[in-house]
Each structure stands twice: as structure tokens, then as C-alpha cells.
Amino acid sequence: MQHLQAAARAHTNIALIKYWGKKDQNLILPMNSSLSLTLDKFYTDTFVEYLPNLHGDIFFLNGKQKVDPKIKIFMNLIRQVTGLNVYAQIKSTNHVPTAAGLASSASAYAALSLAATAAAGKIYSKTELSRIARRGSGSATRSVFGNFVEWVAGNDDQSSYARPVKIMNDWDIRMVAIVVDSRPKKISSRSGMQTVVETSPFYHSWVKTANEDLKNIKKALKNGSFETFGTIAESNALKMHALNLSASPHFNYFEPQSLVAMNAVEDMRTQGVQCYYTMDAGPNVKVICKNKDLDVILEQLHRYFPSDHLFVAAPGPGVELLNN
Ligand code: 2P0
């Protein structure tokens, strides 16, 4: 009998133009297109095996069995797409430094999309896989591809997918994750962004400027202006956090040390070092820079943060099958 099993690896990504709000919560269609960098250091390995004797999907994360309703809903979608009506055993391992606070649904659903469809004997294009991954978690759409990736917002299931963004520069980009706090986030991305869509008086402006930011950052990636690129990314992140401050009830992801990190980056810029920060739905700050400036930047950051709170990543690959 054919072995209905497969394993896949997907890396997490950092959004430089953020996805922060849905126009369709069921299909996970975003309000605006977004852009990210897939990272080499942080990834999820997922093994899926369909077993005819199971009465429900079984999910293990880092060796421990978990009950996760989102995974069950997602596996129902996979059965619908592949036509294989069998439950599966799913084993996922997150390869994220324990203290990094960077665990992400992006790598999780990108890896599960490939492993679960391949185990069912179906091979889909990366574009198609990105549409499937999107249904698990929006940011997973982008982790299907490596390096710089755009998630085209679209208006329906077919038109909302990820595609690689060609770069024409020799920046040799790096990201330093400054771990301020590794506890679970205060407010999940899913509920935070929905509160913002429903209540922020600035939401309309966000969608408009995020689309402009995307257009301009893609131009910067092509014509090689790292300063323009970094300035847009930093400003886009701050606009996302400003939405949270303007929501009702308002919320934020800042810790005092987040501000220390942000100010440290701004200080370095005044000293002529090209570096920019971004921040997601948590207090950790990520610094974008060129590899040639990495040593100077780490030396400066060490003044405020111990070295085991600093993690360096480079661009990483898209989702791929593993031999099992
Ligand atoms: C992103 N972030 O573009 C945004 C920017 C953080 C800030 O965590 O509801 O986990 O599963 O689609 O993809 C996006 O949250 O949310 C997110 P769902 P997701 O990466």
C-alpha cells in the first residue's frame, strides 16, 4: 500500500510592509498587500501521516500532544482540497531558539500545507500552496517562498496569493532580533487586527498608505536605495502600532525595553550607521541592516542587551519537502 506520509520544512518571515486586518475572516483575505523577508534561522519541520484507523487528527508540537481547533479546521480544508478523506497524525517541531519569542504560525502553516498535501499524493505549485497556507494563517502565505515575498491581497480565494519579489541590489541583508520578552503575546494578532479594523478611526488611511508603502518599497528594492527601503519599513511598522493605540479598546505590544531598542537604532543612525527597526505583534524589536555593518550594530546593542538576547538571521528559503 502507498505510504500516505510526507515531511516539510518552512521558515518564518518578517513583514516589512505589515498585514494588519482582514476583509474576509473565513477566507483570510487581507485588507492590503504586504511584503516580507523569509529568514534562514527560524523554521518548523512538520511530518504528516494519514492513518485509516484514526477517528480524528492527532497533533504533536515539539513532542507534546496538543488540541488545536485551528489545525482541525485546516486539516478539513486539506481533505476538501485533496479529496483524501482520512485523518492524520501530525508532528511539528519548531526550530526557534527557546528564548527568541519568534515562534510563528507562518512557518507552521506553510510547512503543514506542503506536508499534508504531499502526503495525500498531491503536488501543487507554490502559488497554489500559498493560497492553501493562507487559509491557516495569513502570514503563512508568504513563508511558502524564500527571500523577499509579496502577498497580493486580492479579492477572492483565487486572487489572494504570494509571489517572490525580485531584488536588484547587493545589500546582503541581515536581521537582528532583539528579544525583549519571550512570553506569549498579550493579544493575539488575529483578535488585535480585527479590533483595529472595527474601531480605529485611522484604518482607512492605513490601507491607503500601506499600499503606497508597498509600491515604494518594491521600487527601493529594485533601484538599490537601502535608506529609502529601511525608512519605509520602519515607518510602516510604526503606523501599524499607531493603529493599535487608536483602537477601542486600545492596546499595544510595547515593553520599556522595546523603546530602548528603538532608540538605540535611531541613535546609531544619527552616527551614520544604516539600520532600521520593525516590530510585530509582540515587544521584540527586529533590526534590518547590511551584513557589512553587523559587527558595529551588535557591539552597540550589547550595551543594552545581553548577547543571548540577540539573534542574527539572513534571508532564507521557501518551503521544501524533507526526506523522511
Ligand atoms: C504580518 N503580523 O504581516 C503581521 C504584521 C504581525 C504584524 O502576526 O489571523 O498570525 O492567522 O491571519 O498571520 C500576522 O498575523 O494572523 C502577524 P492570522 P497572523 O506578519
Side-chain angles (χ1 to χ4, degrees), residues 6 10 52 67 112 130 150 155 171 204 207 238 252 275 279 304 307:
V67 178
L112 183 56
S130 77
E150 177 184 3
N155 287 308
W171 297 340
H204 178 74
V207 175
L238 289 174
N252 72 80
C275 53
M279 225 183 109
Y304 309 97
S307 35

Side-chain angles (χ1 to χ4, degrees), residues 253-317:
Y253 293 109
F254 299 112
E255 294 288 341
Q257 290 294 95
S258 315
L259 293 172
V260 169
M262 290 155 75
N263 288 335
V265 170
E266 291 186 19
D267 284 350
M268 282 190 269
R269 278 212 302 272
T270 60
Q271 293 157 25
V273 184
Q274 279 192 322
C275 53
Y276 303 87
Y277 57 79
T278 186
M279 225 183 109
D280 286 323
N284 301 327
V285 173
K286 287 97 176 185
V287 185
I288 308 293
C289 64
K290 293 180 182 177
N291 190 28
K292 72 172 181 62
D293 297 320
L294 188 60
D295 289 346
V296 173
I297 290 166
L298 287 173
E299 195 185 309
Q300 290 292 316
L301 292 176
H302 275 145
R303 292 170 56 195
Y304 309 97
F305 304 98
S307 35
D308 62 350
H309 286 213
L310 302 174
F311 297 88
V312 179

Side-chain angles (χ1 to χ4, degrees), residues 181-202:
D181 189 342
S182 55
R183 285 176 297 184
K185 34 184 114 161
K186 288 188 277 191
I187 296 164
S188 74
S189 303
R190 195 160 283 194
S191 76
M193 67 172 84
Q194 192 52 28
T195 303
V196 157
V197 171
E198 287 166 12
T199 67
S200 170
F202 307 131

